[in-house]
Amino acid sequence: MATNTERMPVFFVSHGGPNLLDDNEYPYDEPVAKGLRAIGDQIKALNPRGMVIVSGHWEAGRNTLQVNSKSAIPQPLIYDFYNFPAWMYREQFEHKVDPSLTQRVIELVAQNNVEIEAVDRGLDHGVWVAMKKAGLANADFPITQLSLYHSDSMEDHVRLGEFLQPLRDEGIVVVGSGMAVHNLRDLFGPG
């Protein structure tokens, strides 16, 4: 695990859809696959104590948050996508969890007077698809997912990032996962 005292970086990955797993569509030598692999290699080289990742696929309440890994047993993955090939719904992403990392996230958020609860919830595809393509399946460190607020408030989410800042000095990598244009159903649906 992390042995240096350097502040861990923050990463952002544009996770795309589950078709990112399709090596015919996103081959190993394609720029997106190469980019995710490079990020995964950078993270592994840091030898972090853990990772806290926030995905655009999980929102809690308007003023409340949730964090997974309440128990020490990884929960089943969430296949929060529709009309993709059957093999994608059988994909796995083996990973470690650590309830003490979950508790640390709760401490940091709660000390800023935000309601937060630990839940047993699997990783959604905004986490496991990108992290699998990044080569972080079976990583040596635990991965904990934190929800977003059910709000479009940039200020609230910037503050959330500030709440998590101390983790970086504790050997924890912080990752954001999403896209600028995320919900295509809303974009192309009835207005």
Side-chain angles (χ1 to χ4, degrees):
M1 296 301 161
T3 55
N4 62 35
T5 57
E6 290 182 36
R7 174 172 278 188
M8 291 287 161
V10 173
F11 293 89
F12 178 80
V13 294
S14 181
H15 65 249
N19 55 328
L20 188 61
L21 296 171
D22 189 342
D23 288 333
N24 293 319
E25 197 167 330
Y26 290 94
Y28 190 74
D29 61 349
E30 195 266 339
V32 171
K34 279 184 179 178
L36 284 170
R37 232 177 13 263
I39 289 171
D41 290 346
Q42 287 176 23
I43 291 171
K44 286 187 276 191
L46 292 168
N47 201 23
R49 284 188 38 243
M51 174 191 291
V52 173
I53 185 165
V54 181
S55 156
H57 284 272
W58 185 17
E59 295 178 349
R62 169 63 186 93
N63 299 306
T64 61
L65 296 168
Q66 294 179 320
V67 59
N68 76 346
S69 303
K70 181 178 179 179
S71 68
I73 301 168
Q75 299 300 301
L77 297 177
I78 298 173
Y79 300 91
D80 52 338
F81 47 85
Y82 309 95
N83 298 321
F84 284 90
W87 66 267
M88 290 184 184
Y89 298 91
R90 293 188 297 270
E91 285 292 303
Q92 294 298 308
F93 178 73
E94 300 299 327
H95 66 285
K96 294 178 181 175
V97 297
D98 180 0
S100 68
L101 179 54
T102 297
Q103 286 305 318
R104 181 64 178 134
V105 171
I106 289 171
E107 273 176 34
L108 291 171
V109 172
Q111 75 186 18
N112 287 282
N113 300 313
V114 174
E115 187 178 323
I116 182 169
E117 70 174 325
V119 296
D120 277 328
R121 178 189 188 273
L123 302 175
D124 62 55
H125 90 268
V127 173
W128 69 265
V129 168
M131 295 300 101
K132 184 169 187 164
K133 198 69 171 185
L136 294 178
N138 292 307
D140 291 335
F141 51 85
I143 298 174
T144 296
Q145 185 177 358
L146 174 64
S147 74
L148 294 170
Y149 296 105
H150 185 69
S151 159
D152 291 334
S153 169
M154 184 171 68
E155 294 81 12
D156 287 348
H157 288 97
V158 167
R159 273 194 306 279
L160 176 57
E162 292 169 353
F163 301 163
L164 300 177
Q165 185 86 324
L167 292 172
R168 297 174 59 208
D169 295 322
E170 299 169 12
I172 307 299
V173 171
V174 177
V175 179
S177 175
M179 287 185 78
V181 177
H182 188 260
N183 193 336
L184 298 178
R185 182 177 42 233
D186 287 348
L187 182 64
F188 296 113

